């Protein structure tokens, strides 16, 4: 049995709560500042509920899932690590990549399990894409097109934490972080970001579309193209297209298409020309399925890693810090500054009482 | 319950295997007239049950069926609620409490109470759930809805959180208010059946993935079939073709060989495919 707390019962928090609560080896408690939400959850599920995050940390939990507004990730993750608690944090990790790197170092030093919710790394077609690249299926990769589109903001709207950059909102953090994270998984952190465009379409204060070009020394060029204001997509759609000396690979949540000029010896199941693999054959079943196998698989990995005290995910804090640092490159490029000179987002006091009545750190 | 039920995923660009196929279908069914033409074909092939979401475009289908009672004699809807995308988007925009408020009628003490942020008594929570059911059922007024389903996104969320009592609330309310039986769609059938047992829902109507390759059958096909054998259940199989990964005849032969399964829901975009499926199913079950 692993005692796990879930902090934040918003959209992602509820989903994580349901998935982890269905795990036979997890004993779950929850924390949220809304009394009404806690009342309902406490009464109907019977799990222990907390309004104060520190009280939950002090209640003997061994691991925590942090699913609060992004700006709060840093202080909440640090508080957990300092108490020796394993941490799963929703994406994006931290708004300032220096904080991400510091937390990655702290988790490593304390030997604690650390994970960030970049669930696409658990989706069959993207896993297969990585396997093919590493097997040299398309030779040297020369260009990457990393895309995500979906219908989140389609009209002018009121303000929530997702509509403020200092809170970690905007298309950049909400959507673009995913394809950027997949590019990091395949090729690491780029040296440069150039031509970064972040445009508001409907939102008053933040970006609704994001475009940028990444370059790697001796590696591929990357074109990033992301919009969360595209109604022609029914829901979020993320796609990675790789062009190489030996062919082309296209992956999304549903399938993987591979054009191979000459499949490398030993790569079973692929032949010359076009190959299509569907999610039906690329996806392993899960124990409990709420909204897709990848969401369950990442939580199961976390529960089992916390139980064993051993890191097992491809999504550690260090990997998420690469994504935060890539985002930092883009913000610096847009501002015309060097990434090191760019100030971190303005710290604002938490509006809601995550740390009880105590002042923000 | 009919052996063969007609589903609606294909009309709304939902395809679990390919985004390209999903888009092609969204283009084909841009006009409601195109949906109606396929529904007419299904009716003319002898299908009488339309298992559909509460997508706003279904409202137009309902209007059409209401306006032409002679054409659609004996036609039944199995509404599946809620159409989750609108709630998910609202939850992103307004938070959990705000999302619920967003879909509530403006009058009423409950909304005032929630706006004030006060705590909710058990009867308030149940009252709220009933209001949400009524909102979803509005478009079906005057039509036959003998079974009303709760969608898997909600069923599995409640199941995971352990809010089992809510299944009872839903079950009792659709019976009382709509004279309907409750149905539950799930991706986690064995766990759901245990939960329904616990809250005393006997011989439930459930709908879940059943296919030869075990695609999205959480924990595996054997566990699903064993859970069905353990108590009386009326089971509907969905995703029998595993989004097209299994050829129709092979897929349906496998389902017909499982006596635990009572009905099949399927989607098709042409009369030819509807007839093909119906003929295979008629043949398989006549032989059995």
């Amino acid at each position: 049995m692993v005692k796990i707390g879930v902090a934040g019962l918003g959209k992602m928090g509820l989903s994580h709560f349901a998935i982890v609560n269905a795990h036979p080896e997890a004993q779950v408690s929850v924390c949220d500042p809304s009394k009404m939400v806690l009342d309902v959850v406490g009464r109907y599920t019977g799990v222990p509920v907390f309004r104060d995050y520190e009280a939950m940390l002090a209640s003997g939990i061994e691991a925590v899932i942090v699913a609060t507004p992004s700006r709060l990730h840093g202080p909440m993750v640090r508080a957990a690590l300092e108490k020796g608690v394993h941490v799963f944090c929703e994406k994006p990790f931290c708004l300032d990549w220096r904080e991400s790197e510091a937390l990655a170092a702290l988790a490593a030093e304390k030997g604690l399990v650390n994970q960030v919710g970049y669930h696409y790394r658990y989706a069959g077609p993207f896993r297969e894409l990585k396997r093919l690249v590493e097997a040299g299926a398309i030779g040297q990769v020369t260009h990457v097109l990393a895309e995500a589109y979906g219908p989140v903001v389609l009209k002018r709207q009121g303000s929530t934490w997702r509509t403020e950059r200092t809170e970690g909102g905007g298309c950049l953090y909400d959507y673009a972080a995913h394809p950027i994270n997949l590019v990091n998984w395949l090729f690491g952190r780029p040296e440069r970001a150039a031509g970064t465009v972040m445009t508001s379409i409907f939102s008053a204060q933040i970006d609704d579309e994001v475009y940028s070009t990444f370059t790697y020394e001796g590696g591929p060029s990357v074109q990033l193209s992301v919009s969360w204001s595209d109604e022609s997509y029914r829901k979020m759609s993320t796609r990675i297209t790789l062009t190489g000396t030996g062919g082309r690979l296209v992956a999304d949540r549903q399938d993987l298409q591979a054009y191979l000029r000459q499949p490398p010896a030993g790569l079973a199941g692929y032949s010359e020309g076009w190959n299509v693999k569907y999610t039906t054959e690329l996806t392993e079943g899960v124990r409990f399925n709420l909204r897709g196998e990848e969401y369950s698989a990442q939580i199961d990995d976390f529960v089992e890693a916390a139980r064993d005290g051993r890191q097992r995910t491809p999504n550690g804090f260090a990997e998420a810090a690469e994504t935060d640092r890539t985002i930092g490159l883009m913000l610096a490029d847009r501002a015309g500054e060097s990434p090191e000179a760019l100030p971190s987002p303005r710290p604002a006091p938490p509006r809601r009482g995550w740390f009880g009545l105590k002042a923000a750190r | 319950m009919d052996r063969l039920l007609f589903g609606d995923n294909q009309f709304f660009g939902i395809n679990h295997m390919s985004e390209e196929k999903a888009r092609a279908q969204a283009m084909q069914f841009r006009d409601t007239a195109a949906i109606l033409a396929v529904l007419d074909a299904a009716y003319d092939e002898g299908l009488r049950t339309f298992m559909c979401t509460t997508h706003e475009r279904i409202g137009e289908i309902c209007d059409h069926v209401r306006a032409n009672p002679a054409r659609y004699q004996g036609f039944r809807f199995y509404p599946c609620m809620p159409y989750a995308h609108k709630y998910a988007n609202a939850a992103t925009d307004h938070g959990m409490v705000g999302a619920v408020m967003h879909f509530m009628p403006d009058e009423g003490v409950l909304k005032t109470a929630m706006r004030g942020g006060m705590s909710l008594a058990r009867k308030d929570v149940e009252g709220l759930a009933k209001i949400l059911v009524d909102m979803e059922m509005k478009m079906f007024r005057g039509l036959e809805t003998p079974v009303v389903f709760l969608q898997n996104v909600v069923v599995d969320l409640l199941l995971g959180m352990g809010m089992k009592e809510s299944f009872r609330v839903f079950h009792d309310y659709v019976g009382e208010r709509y004279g309907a039986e409750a149905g539950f769609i799930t991706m986690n059938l064995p766990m759901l059946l245990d939960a329904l047992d616990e809250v005393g829902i006997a011989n439930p109507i459930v709908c879940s993935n059943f296919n030869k390759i075990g695609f999205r059958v959480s924990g595996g096909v054997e566990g699903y079939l064993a859970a069905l054998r353990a108590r009386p259940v009326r089971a509907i199989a969905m995703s029998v073709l595993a989004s097209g990964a299994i050829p129709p005849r092979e897929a349906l032969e496998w389902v017909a060989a499982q006596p635990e399964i009572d009905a099949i829901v399927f989607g098709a975009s042409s009369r030819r495919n509807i007839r093909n499926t119906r003929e295979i199913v008629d043949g398989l079950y006549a032989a059995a």
Side-chain angles (χ1 to χ4, degrees):
Chain A
M1 271 297 173
V2 186
K3 289 184 181 145
I4 300 190
V6 177
L9 293 177
K11 194 171 81 167
M12 289 311 300
L14 279 179
S15 156
H16 290 319
F17 169 37
I19 293 169
V20 74
N21 195 47
H23 196 293
E25 292 186 65
Q27 196 180 321
V28 180
S29 39
V30 299
C31 169
D32 193 273
S34 160
K35 185 165 184 310
M36 198 184 303
V37 168
L38 284 189
D39 269 359
V40 173
V41 169
R43 190 181 308 133
Y44 283 89
T45 71
V47 304
V49 299
F50 295 87
R51 276 187 95 175
D52 185 330
Y53 177 62
E54 300 215 331
M56 184 169 80
L57 286 182
S59 72
I61 58 171
E62 298 149 81
V64 68
I65 295 174
V66 176
T68 54
S70 311
R71 187 176 47 77
L72 298 169
H73 290 174
M76 294 181 74
V77 168
R78 180 174 294 280
L81 293 176
E82 281 168 356
K83 290 216 159 52
V85 170
H86 305 294
V87 181
F88 176 105
C89 181
E90 243 323 303
K91 51 66 61 176
F93 184 28
C94 300
L95 303 184
D96 180 349
W97 57 266
R98 282 158 290 210
E99 186 170 28
S100 311
E101 291 185 352
L103 291 172
L106 181 61
E109 181 199 312
K110 294 199 169 255
L112 292 167
V113 172
N114 54 95
Q115 188 169 342
V116 176
Y118 282 109
H119 52 81
Y120 283 111
R121 289 193 185 188
Y122 284 88
F126 291 113
R127 295 197 141 193
E128 183 69 355
L129 178 79
K130 183 165 167 67
R131 191 178 78 88
L132 289 179
V133 170
E134 286 170 356
I138 58 164
Q140 191 193 340
V141 178
T142 58
H143 185 68
V144 179
L145 176 58
E147 303 170 277
Y149 308 105
V152 179
V153 178
L154 299 171
K155 56 177 193 288
R156 295 211 164 274
Q157 58 179 196
S159 128
T160 73
W161 72 266
R162 281 173 201 273
T163 61
E164 288 179 42
R165 171 148 324 112
T166 51
E167 298 276 321
C171 173
L172 173 65
Y173 291 115
D174 207 73
Y175 258 47
H178 281 294
I180 294 169
N181 181 264
L182 288 172
V183 169
N184 293 144
W185 195 31
L186 294 166
F187 304 107
R189 178 165 58 84
E191 264 87 43
R192 287 187 61 220
T196 302
V197 175
M198 294 166 56
T199 324
S200 297
I201 305 172
F202 303 109
S203 299
Q205 300 169 42
I206 38 141
D207 45 284
D208 293 321
E209 42 179 17
V210 176
Y211 306 101
S212 190
T213 303
F214 303 156
T215 49
Y216 289 84
E217 214 68 59
S221 60
V222 179
Q223 215 70 70
L224 176 75
S225 174
V226 180
S227 168
W228 74 358
S229 296
D230 188 340
E231 199 188 33
S232 73
Y233 290 82
R234 189 176 67 88
K235 57 182 188 177
M236 185 183 188
S237 168
T238 299
R239 183 185 298 116
I240 303 289
T241 305
L242 305 178
T243 307
T245 52
R248 201 157 90 96
L249 301 172
V250 186
D252 62 25
R253 173 72 183 67
Q254 267 71 30
D255 62 26
L256 177 119
Q257 303 176 359
Y259 184 90
L260 305 183
R261 295 177 65 186
Q262 193 177 14
L267 185 65
Y270 287 87
S271 47
E272 204 178 296
W274 278 112
N275 300 263
V276 184
K277 303 275 178 190
Y278 293 105
T279 187
T280 40
E281 59 183 304
L282 295 175
T283 303
E284 272 180 57
V286 288
R287 164 194 58 73
F288 176 79
N289 193 337
L290 175 58
R291 51 190 302 199
E293 292 80 4
E294 62 272 37
Y295 291 93
S296 303
Q298 66 173 359
I299 293 296
D300 285 6
D301 247 14
F302 179 63
V303 172
E304 285 150 37
R307 179 196 63 199
D308 304 340
R310 191 182 310 140
Q311 186 82 350
R312 55 188 281 166
T313 182
N315 283 337
F317 286 179
E319 287 76 28
E322 275 194 331
T323 300
D324 292 339
R325 198 152 178 187
T326 307
I327 288 172
L329 286 177
M330 293 168 63
L331 291 170
D333 171 50
R334 183 161 173 269
E337 294 178 40
S338 94
E340 275 68 26
L342 194 76
S344 57
R346 164 176 53 93
R351 281 183 216 153
R352 301 191 295 181
W354 280 102
F355 290 97
L357 298 173
K358 274 177 270 175
R361 332 172 141 229
Chain B
M1 193 157 63
D2 294 340
R3 174 86 62 200
L4 205 50
L5 318 172
F6 199 56
D8 74 342
N9 269 356
Q10 70 281 8
F11 297 143
F12 301 116
I14 299 169
N15 184 296
H16 300 298
M17 195 140 109
S18 155
E19 292 198 8
E20 278 164 42
K21 280 181 197 163
R23 180 174 308 167
Q25 287 172 333
M27 288 172 182
Q28 183 186 347
F29 294 111
R30 187 191 51 195
D31 292 328
T32 303
I35 299 179
L36 283 169
V38 174
L39 267 187
D40 285 354
Y43 185 93
D44 294 339
E45 286 296 329
L47 298 177
R48 289 293 177 271
T49 306
F50 183 37
M51 189 165 162
C52 60
T53 53
T54 49
H55 192 288
E56 57 194 24
R57 288 185 64 201
I58 292 293
E60 296 171 45
I61 308 288
C62 292
D63 291 342
H64 180 80
V65 172
R66 246 190 315 266
N68 299 279
R71 174 72 176 90
Y72 298 102
Q73 232 172 6
F75 197 67
R76 295 175 288 272
F77 289 84
Y78 281 7
C80 306
M81 65 177 58
Y83 184 66
H85 274 292
K86 62 184 177 192
Y87 291 99
N89 290 340
T92 305
D93 290 349
H94 312 289
M96 296 311 300
V97 176
V100 172
M101 296 234 312
H102 192 72
F103 290 102
M104 299 242 301
D106 275 326
E107 69 281 6
V109 289
L110 210 51
K111 188 159 185 173
T112 312
M114 290 183 70
R115 197 180 283 122
M118 51 185 278
S119 68
L120 294 177
R122 181 178 288 260
K123 65 177 179 11
D124 293 339
V125 175
E126 290 175 12
L128 217 146
K130 291 171 183 176
I131 290 171
L132 293 175
V133 170
D134 289 344
M135 303 285 281
E136 298 282 320
M137 283 301 286
K138 255 187 196 165
M139 68 174 76
F140 299 99
R141 73 186 180 285
L143 296 168
E144 254 191 86
T145 55
V147 184
V148 177
F149 283 89
L150 206 52
Q151 288 275 26
N152 55 293
V153 176
V154 174
V155 169
D156 292 329
L157 183 71
L158 295 168
L159 182 65
M161 293 196 296
M163 296 179 72
K164 297 167 194 168
E165 272 301 317
S166 52
F167 299 136
R168 175 96 234 166
V169 172
F170 177 75
H171 174 273
D172 292 353
Y173 185 63
V174 298
E176 234 167 71
R177 174 79 175 75
Y178 298 97
E181 293 203 72
F184 301 90
I185 307 175
T186 181
M187 303 297 282
N188 307 286
L189 185 65
M191 192 175 165
L192 175 71
L193 290 176
D194 288 345
L196 295 179
D197 279 350
E198 265 180 61
V199 298
I201 297 176
N203 194 18
I205 299 175
V206 294
C207 176
S208 203
N209 274 25
F210 273 104
N211 53 64
K212 193 179 182 179
I213 61 170
F215 177 58
R216 302 221 157 116
V217 178
S218 311
V221 170
E222 255 324 299
Y224 268 43
L225 294 172
L228 290 182
R229 283 192 292 265
R231 74 277 271 172
V233 179
R234 288 165 287 170
I236 302 168
M238 65 177 181
S239 205
V240 297
L241 305 184
S243 297
I246 315 168
R249 175 165 288 280
E250 184 185 336
L252 293 165
E253 275 172 359
W254 181 86
V255 174
Q258 317 304 326
E260 297 86 351
I261 297 171
D262 302 289
I264 297 166
V265 58
F266 79 109
S269 302
S270 69
R271 178 152 191 175
R272 197 169 58 94
N273 284 343
I274 295 168
R275 176 180 300 164
N276 185 33
T277 303
R278 180 184 57 74
E279 284 175 353
I280 295 173
V281 168
D282 285 352
L284 288 169
Y285 283 91

